[in-house]
Amino acid sequence: MPVRQMKESSEQHLLIKTHMQNSMNQPQKHHKTAQNGKGPPQPLQESSNTKPQNQASPPAKNRGRRRGRGGRKSDQGDVCTRPSSRPCTVAHKPVLNPTGDLLANASNGHIENSKNVCEMEMGLGFPTSSKSLSLAPRPGYGQVGTKCIVKANHFLAGLPDKDLNQYDVTITPEVVSRTMNRDIMAELVRLYKDSDLGMRLPAYDGRKSLYTAGELPFTWKEFIIKLIDEEDGINGPKRGREYKVVIKFVARANMYHLGQFLAGKRADAPQEALQILDIVLRELSSKRYCPVGRSFFSPDIRAPQRLGDGLESWCGFYQSIRPTQMGLSLNIDMASAAFIEPLPVIEFVAQLLGKDILSRPLLDSDRVKIKKGLRGVKVEVTHRGSVRRKYRVSGLTSQPTRELVFPVDDNSTMKSVVEYFQEMYGFTIQHTHLPCLQVGNQKKANYLPMEACKIVEGQRYTKRLNERQITALLRVTCQRPRDRENDILQTVQHNAYDQDPYAKEFGIKISEKLASVEARILPAPWLKYHETGKEKDCLPQVGQWNMMNKKMINGMTVSRWACINFSRSVQESVARGFCNELAQMCQVSGMEFNSEPVIPIYNARPEHVEKALKHVCHASTNRTKGKELELLLAILPDNNGSLYGDLKRICETDLGLITQCCLSKHVFKISKQYLANLSLKINVKMGGRNTVLLDALSCRIPLVSDIPTIIFGADVTHPENGEDSSPSIAAVVASQDWPEVTKYAGLVCAQAHRQELIQDLYKTWQDPVRGTVSGGMIRDLLISFRKATGQKPLRIIFYRDGVSEGQFYQVLLYELDAIRKACASLEPNYQPPVTFIVVQKRHHTRLFANNHRDRNSTDKSGNILPGTVVDSKICHPTEFDFYLCSHAGIQGTSRPAHYHVLWDENNFTADGIQSLTNNLCYTYARCTRSVSVVPPAYYAHLAAFRARFYTEPVMQENGSAGSGACHGAKGTRTGESGVRPLPALKENVKRVMFYC
């Protein structure tokens, strides 16, 4: 449900405004816009009539709904659903306010009266709950592009012909461990399958639900199950534990409903039936392997590879049942994850510290690292023969083992740990200078010597990996498409679903063949470069092109720049040569770039980063008689720790310097390709454009070129596991030029920990002077678009990244409602039609060439060609989604992006949205390659990632620094949400933070 009342917030967000006027689209001030034949729209301005803060304002209904859903066309302008070749005439531009004070009024956000907006909103029919909301239906299938066949890692699953029943399971005393729950139920099935269970083989989810194919002979029954604790006892009998298990009938799954849904005759998916089938197919793998989420891992699938610091990689597979157009599909993909290596604890600690711990005393910093590395890890004792009792580590003693004593009776008779282990177990502790592990809770902690413990196998490592470990893990996971396809097929054959007793019991049959899917390869768009270059336009080949013989379409000027060198290995002569080469490349590429820096290259130490940056800033300003630096080049060591983030934070929130960082290895190499990429980044940071779509200049992009259109991208990044105090960072970017849709502005904001809904899209607060004031990301970016282009947006396309399928309705309801409110706060009846698209990269669908030997159907890496789009067979039965591989592979197997259109008031055809998305992927400013995700979503991700550098570290209990809440521009004040706002950016860097 959307939040209907926006609270006053002190969160600050960082508006990156576009200052350069659109030289290719000067506003035309005296022409009318055709709008359903009803005259020109009103100029975008501040509404003087709106609702009070506490009233709801549901968005407009989903206009233009297809297949007889009773929708109506947008009243914001004629929407063409087919490609148009007509030029951008003045008839398609809105009337501008001749007084020129429109945006000044709008930016005040002052709302005096609520009457008109309330009347407008009462007539709108946007659903207020997911029960009354249906996602956009598929408008048809795409036809553009060269048709081909690809293979997908989806395996057809036959629908069971039996009734599926759900039973509630209650275990007393309550058990927290899912593994223990499974052991209890396995014993129950072993004892009672042939009798009380009526020969049924149930599937169990490890928690509260049991599923059967057909009914059990009872609707309620109680069982007493006794489990023997094999880890207990030394000489005496092993203890047994009794559990009371109550099984109660709950419901029967509707398989007819599922069949109707898969056939496209029902729009609502029967989630209960899909969940049952998923659990059934996971049951056997859960017993064979180590389950982690939807994946299964084992050291037997492939030999583990060491990652360093006591970690190793385990290979496994991902498995999920999915409803698709071809029917039920089992999605299988290869997976890898980091596990703690099952080593003796002493060996693990030696790897963790990277030194010999047997002959050297531990430092305090060593103890902190050991405690952090072992806390929560399960260990088993090795000093009791066949008894391998398991414990979870809770801490580390501050004293060495030889100094530890504890009371052994009520008379406070003390005994040392060394004596106890010798007398009780006949175990002599050799390394008494080491601390002991603490296991159990704080009230009753037990001591275990390190040398008497071994790490239990199968524990996934959930904390953050270091760069070396990430590189090692990527090396393991990186597979060529043919190898990955073979491994997937081998996994399916090894799992032998035809022999799976649970699949047999429930009547599920799984194909062992990859799904063959019809696909199309969309053509690459023509790109426009400057007229003074030898090549004025360019057609990318296999997703790539270069800057040879081309000049940037809008090359900027850099007159005042400096260079600071933080790398000891880079001599001044090398740095000077690199800077000269970079200046020449910028000039060749179409920029005006001064060959000489303002001051000589300044060498500095990384630990003095703030002092060094301020020195360069002041020295440069003095040399130029008060004029500020336009660009600072920074040479960094290859392994620079926190230096990069510190430098960006200081320059962008304190000094107001635009920076370009370069690693030492690139400075030594001086590759032409690297210099060309740097010049592209520098140009956009200066406010220029590198290239634009030729179709955009000639106004031939359907549903973009006809009327002013703004394209948004949004993302939320969450803190790493274990950083419980850190905020999530939300970012929204929006195009700031039309019809080019190439330049973007962005906003970032801190919000509550792991909150996925973007809280600051629209907000209102009470001002003691102005009354109710409106603001928020969407509102500010709409105003910024109007300032930059002279037009008000008459259409909104919103790409939302990072949303899982389970959050679709929640995100759509809340964020579309915020978009509506933001628009309504600017002008009465201002409701441009919205298309809301979710972008997903964290999925497990992979597409493979039908014939790996056919070089015409693959790129150099063996992946499918860029532009490959799939919207049939493996896609949703009724909803508007598609897979698009817009990029050429470099290494490994390409992952197509999954686009899901949740809401579409602009009546996009399948070809329209697929071609637009693919073409936009060629406008990414930082390289001459098409990218894998549509640029506005990509930029939003980069902006959110960059903003995390602006948060200052907070000291944790163990003395280590971790990311804390954000700091505001003035002190550390905290908003009502409990999250401190991000520091304010300096004006001249606000528009470029996401170009990195």
Side-chain angles (χ1 to χ4, degrees):
M1 285 290 294
V3 176
R4 292 298 177 186
Q5 180 177 351
M6 307 301 291
K7 295 182 178 180
E8 180 181 354
S9 171
S10 62
E11 292 176 355
Q12 296 179 1
H13 32 80
L14 314 174
L15 177 58
I16 304 147
K17 301 177 181 178
T18 303
H19 298 289
M20 193 182 88
Q21 190 64 258
N22 181 348
S23 62
M24 310 188 72
N25 179 35
Q26 294 296 333
Q28 313 238 351
K29 298 191 176 181
H30 305 290
H31 300 283
K32 296 181 179 180
T33 300
Q35 202 171 28
N36 287 346
K38 297 181 181 179
Q42 296 299 313
L44 181 60
Q45 59 187 3
E46 173 66 29
S47 171
S48 61
N49 300 291
T50 188
K51 61 179 185 64
Q53 179 183 359
N54 294 338
Q55 291 191 3
S57 58
K61 67 175 67 177
N62 194 0
R63 290 166 282 200
R65 302 287 285 178
R66 303 172 186 83
R67 299 184 180 176
R69 297 204 172 207
R72 61 185 177 84
K73 281 195 173 183
S74 164
D75 60 0
Q76 293 298 319
D78 291 328
V79 178
C80 64
T81 57
R82 293 181 297 276
S84 171
S85 59
R86 65 187 179 184
C88 276
T89 63
V90 292
H92 296 282
K93 296 187 178 179
V95 173
L96 303 185
N97 188 340
T99 64
D101 61 355
L102 168 66
L103 287 168
N105 295 336
S107 62
N108 288 335
H110 185 196
I111 301 173
E112 298 174 354
N113 193 298
S114 64
K115 181 179 178 182
N116 290 354
V117 172
C118 281
E119 289 177 354
M120 174 194 72
E121 290 175 347
M122 288 173 62
L124 302 179
F126 178 69
T128 57
S129 74
S130 60
K131 292 182 179 179
S132 58
L133 174 68
S134 58
L135 303 184
R138 189 178 301 281
Y141 297 94
Q143 303 297 322
V144 172
T146 304
K147 292 184 179 180
C148 64
I149 300 293
V150 297
K151 290 177 289 186
N153 59 338
H154 287 242
F155 299 84
L156 184 63
L159 265 179
D161 56 359
K162 304 178 182 181
D163 289 333
L164 305 185
N165 298 273
Q166 179 182 356
Y167 293 83
D168 180 74
V169 175
T170 304
I171 299 176
T172 309
E174 186 178 355
V175 178
V176 177
S177 166
R178 187 175 288 193
T179 302
M180 180 62 74
N181 281 337
R182 290 188 181 278
D183 290 342
I184 295 168
M185 294 306 298
E187 180 68 6
L188 187 152
V189 171
R190 186 184 71 81
L191 293 174
Y192 298 105
K193 177 189 174 187
D194 296 342
S195 54
D196 296 65
L197 298 183
M199 301 298 292
R200 300 293 185 198
L201 180 62
Y204 178 51
D205 70 352
R207 293 296 188 202
K208 293 284 291 180
S209 296
L210 190 78
Y211 305 99
T212 62
E215 295 180 348
L216 294 175
F218 56 84
T219 57
W220 184 95
K221 195 170 184 67
E222 180 181 302
F223 299 86
I224 301 297
I225 302 300
K226 186 173 183 179
L227 284 188
I228 302 299
D229 189 349
E230 297 293 341
E231 299 172 352
D232 229 354
I234 303 174
N235 301 318
K238 293 179 171 61
R239 290 185 299 175
R241 298 183 182 180
E242 280 192 355
Y243 298 92
K244 182 173 74 173
V245 181
V246 175
I247 299 177
K248 178 183 177 182
F249 176 78
V250 175
R252 183 173 294 111
N254 192 332
M255 299 309 294
Y256 176 75
H257 182 175
L258 177 58
Q260 292 289 97
F261 171 71
L262 293 171
K265 298 178 181 178
R266 292 191 65 152
D268 55 323
Q271 295 298 335
E272 299 82 5
L274 291 170
Q275 183 181 4
I276 293 173
L277 297 176
D278 198 49
I279 289 170
V280 168
L281 289 173
R282 295 171 57 82
E283 185 72 21
L284 187 59
S285 294
S286 295
K287 300 178 186 299
R288 287 179 175 175
Y289 308 112
C290 175
V292 177
R294 290 187 174 273
S295 298
F296 301 94
F297 297 93
S298 170
D300 301 325
I301 294 177
R302 193 187 302 164
Q305 301 292 315
R306 283 196 164 181
L307 303 178
D309 296 350
L311 302 184
E312 63 182 8
S313 67
W314 280 20
C315 288
F317 63 93
Y318 167 92
Q319 173 181 300
S320 175
I321 198 83
R322 297 188 61 79
T324 65
Q325 293 172 31
M326 69 178 184
L328 272 183
S329 162
L330 189 66
N331 181 203
I332 301 284
D333 191 24
M334 303 314 296
S336 291
F339 281 73
I340 302 173
E341 200 171 349
L343 298 168
V345 168
I346 282 187
E347 191 177 334
F348 173 84
V349 170
Q351 283 199 29
L352 185 66
L353 299 180
K355 68 179 185 179
D356 177 20
I357 64 169
L358 300 182
S359 58
R360 299 180 182 178
L362 294 179
L363 304 174
D364 289 342
S365 59
D366 294 334
R367 294 174 185 274
V368 170
K369 194 169 184 181
I370 295 171
K371 184 178 179 180
K372 187 176 180 181
L374 284 175
R375 180 182 286 171
V377 174
K378 192 178 290 186
V379 297
E380 59 184 5
V381 295
T382 58
H383 65 285
R384 297 176 61 180
S386 60
V387 177
R388 290 286 182 125
R389 192 165 180 82
K390 297 179 176 66
Y391 300 90
R392 196 172 295 279
V393 178
S394 59
L396 197 70
T397 62
S398 58
Q399 298 169 285
T401 303
R402 60 174 171 254
E403 297 178 13
L404 292 172
V405 294
F406 63 97
V408 292
D409 55 30
D410 294 338
N411 296 324
S412 299
T413 304
M414 306 302 288
K415 182 172 287 189
S416 71
V417 170
V418 174
E419 290 174 340
Y420 176 82
F421 274 83
Q422 181 66 55
E423 295 173 8
M424 188 71 178
Y425 306 112
F427 181 79
T428 302
I429 301 175
Q430 301 289 334
H431 309 292
T432 59
H433 69 288
L434 295 175
C436 275
L437 303 179
Q438 289 179 311
V439 297
N441 55 43
Q442 292 181 350
K443 293 182 179 179
K444 188 181 178 181
N446 296 314
Y447 300 143
L448 285 177
M450 285 188 183
E451 61 197 85
C453 299
K454 180 178 182 291
I455 291 173
V456 175
E457 185 180 59
Q459 299 181 76
R460 191 188 175 202
Y461 184 77
T462 58
K463 299 171 185 174
R464 185 173 185 175
L465 300 175
N466 60 41
E467 290 185 13
R468 183 164 38 86
Q469 292 167 335
I470 291 172
T471 301
L473 185 60
L474 288 176
R475 195 178 298 119
V476 174
T477 59
C478 184
Q479 285 184 291
R480 287 188 172 276
R482 182 183 297 185
D483 297 333
R484 194 183 196 97
E485 180 184 333
N486 289 336
D487 279 358
I488 290 171
L489 288 169
Q490 288 176 15
T491 298
V492 173
Q493 292 165 7
H494 183 264
N495 288 348
Y497 296 102
D498 57 334
Q499 302 298 318
D500 183 338
Y502 296 94
K504 281 185 174 182
E505 172 80 10
F506 284 77
I508 305 173
K509 297 179 180 179
I510 305 295
S511 169
E512 292 191 350
K513 294 182 179 180
L514 291 161
S516 291
V517 184
E518 291 185 1
R520 291 167 290 113
I521 302 171
L522 300 179
W526 280 90
L527 303 176
K528 177 63 179 172
Y529 282 92
H530 201 275
E531 291 291 328
T532 58
K534 291 183 180 179
E535 294 184 21
K536 298 173 179 57
D537 46 43
C538 166
L539 182 63
Q541 300 297 317
V542 197
Q544 302 177 60
W545 66 103
N546 57 52
M547 287 295 294
M548 289 180 61
N549 300 321
K550 305 176 189 69
K551 290 187 181 292
M552 301 157 177
I553 193 163
N554 294 125
M556 300 304 288
T557 299
V558 177
S559 302
R560 301 179 300 279
W561 63 276
C563 177
I564 186 168
N565 178 17
F566 288 102
S567 178
R568 294 182 182 179
S569 62
V570 178
Q571 296 178 349
E572 185 175 348
S573 59
V574 176
R576 190 164 53 247
F578 173 79
C579 291
N580 290 338
E581 292 286 340
L582 178 59
Q584 290 179 26
M585 179 60 73
C586 289
Q587 293 164 2
V588 168
S589 300
M591 296 181 66
E592 292 185 19
F593 200 101
N594 191 342
S595 299
E596 293 297 325
V598 172
I599 61 173
I601 295 173
Y602 185 74
N603 296 310
R605 298 170 65 92
E607 58 268 28
H608 300 149
V609 55
E610 185 167 6
K611 181 180 178 182
L613 290 171
K614 288 182 177 179
H615 170 79
V616 170
C617 185
H618 295 320
S620 300
T621 304
N622 291 337
R623 182 66 61 89
T624 57
K625 298 180 180 179
K627 294 182 178 178
E628 295 182 351
L629 276 181
E630 295 169 327
L631 176 68
L632 176 66
L633 300 178
I635 299 174
L636 310 183
D638 294 336
N639 298 313
N640 55 73
S642 64
L643 175 59
Y644 176 83
D646 292 340
L647 183 146
K648 292 294 184 180
R649 174 177 53 82
I650 295 165
C651 288
E652 295 172 2
T653 66
D654 184 14
L655 302 178
L657 288 177
I658 295 175
T659 57
Q660 179 58 58
C661 295
C662 317
L663 293 178
S664 301
K665 59 184 178 182
H666 298 306
V667 172
F668 285 117
K669 192 176 180 181
I670 312 187
S671 158
K672 292 291 185 184
Q673 182 62 56
Y674 178 71
L675 293 175
N677 283 346
L678 276 189
S679 68
L680 295 177
K681 293 171 71 173
I682 290 171
N683 188 53
V684 293
K685 288 180 180 184
M686 295 295 105
R689 290 189 192 87
N690 296 328
T691 185
V692 297
L693 297 171
L694 192 61
D695 279 354
L697 295 181
S698 53
C699 298
R700 291 180 299 191
I701 302 178
L703 294 178
V704 172
S705 300
D706 54 338
I707 56 176
T709 299
I710 187 171
I711 302 180
F712 284 91
D715 189 22
V716 178
T717 64
H718 302 292
E720 299 282 345
N721 290 331
E723 294 186 17
D724 297 333
S725 63
S726 300
S728 292
I729 304 291
V732 181
V733 305
S735 57
Q736 298 293 289
D737 53 355
W738 180 83
E740 297 89 346
V741 289
T742 302
K743 297 179 67 173
Y744 290 84
L747 294 158
V748 291
C749 184
Q751 58 186 41
H753 178 75
R754 304 206 75 81
Q755 168 64 259
E756 182 58 44
L757 300 178
I758 301 178
Q759 300 298 295
D760 208 23
L761 288 180
Y762 175 73
K763 63 179 182 179
T764 60
W765 64 95
Q766 291 295 327
D767 182 270
V769 177
R770 296 180 294 167
T772 303
V773 181
S774 295
M777 295 178 168
I778 297 296
R779 192 178 192 277
D780 290 347
L781 288 169
L782 289 171
I783 294 172
S784 180
F785 179 94
R786 171 68 173 80
K787 285 182 177 179
T789 66
Q791 315 274 1
K792 74 172 179 179
L794 298 181
R795 179 185 294 116
I796 294 174
I797 301 172
F798 197 95
Y799 286 98
R800 177 65 157 88
D801 194 7
V803 179
S804 64
E805 292 175 357
Q807 298 172 309
F808 278 2
Y809 287 97
Q810 185 185 20
V811 168
L812 180 62
L813 280 168
Y814 184 88
E815 296 185 2
L816 188 57
D817 181 59
I819 294 171
R820 291 284 179 236
K821 289 177 178 177
C823 293
S825 73
L826 289 166
E827 176 184 309
N829 300 316
Y830 176 56
Q831 290 294 308
V834 178
T835 297
F836 195 105
I837 309 155
V838 165
V839 189
Q840 294 174 312
K841 282 288 283 183
R842 293 185 178 180
H843 61 83
H844 287 269
T845 293
R846 300 292 185 273
L847 303 176
F848 304 101
N850 191 46
N851 180 4
H852 290 285
R853 296 178 180 177
D854 182 6
R855 294 187 176 181
N856 292 325
S857 63
T858 63
D859 59 23
K860 291 180 180 179
S861 66
N863 281 288
I864 55 175
L865 294 170
T868 301
V869 63
V870 170
D871 61 0
S872 64
K873 202 163 184 177
I874 61 171
C875 293
H876 195 278
T878 60
E879 293 170 7
F880 192 1
D881 71 323
F882 59 93
Y883 292 95
L884 172 63
C885 183
S886 52
H887 66 296
I890 299 176
Q891 59 180 357
T893 303
S894 295
R895 187 200 310 249
H898 185 211
Y899 296 90
H900 206 121
V901 182
L902 302 189
W903 193 259
D904 183 23
E905 296 171 338
N906 288 298
N907 291 343
F908 270 101
T909 62
D911 280 329
I913 195 64
Q914 290 166 14
S915 294
L916 171 64
T917 303
N918 184 60
N919 290 350
L920 287 175
C921 289
Y922 286 79
T923 65
Y924 186 64
R926 294 171 52 184
C927 62
T928 53
R929 300 175 64 96
S930 58
V931 290
S932 59
V933 175
V934 68
Y938 203 151
Y939 291 145
H941 175 79
L942 292 174
F945 184 79
R946 166 60 63 80
R948 201 159 289 285
F949 289 137
Y950 304 152
T951 64
E952 293 188 2
V954 173
M955 298 307 292
Q956 306 291 348
E957 290 179 3
N958 58 11
S960 62
S963 243
C966 308
H967 282 258
K970 299 179 181 179
T972 59
R973 59 199 180 108
T974 303
E976 287 188 12
S977 65
V979 178
R980 285 176 287 182
L982 295 169
L985 287 178
K986 296 298 181 180
E987 285 298 323
N988 61 326
V989 297
K990 287 182 178 180
R991 56 192 163 82
V992 300
M993 60 174 293
F994 48 81
Y995 291 126
C996 296

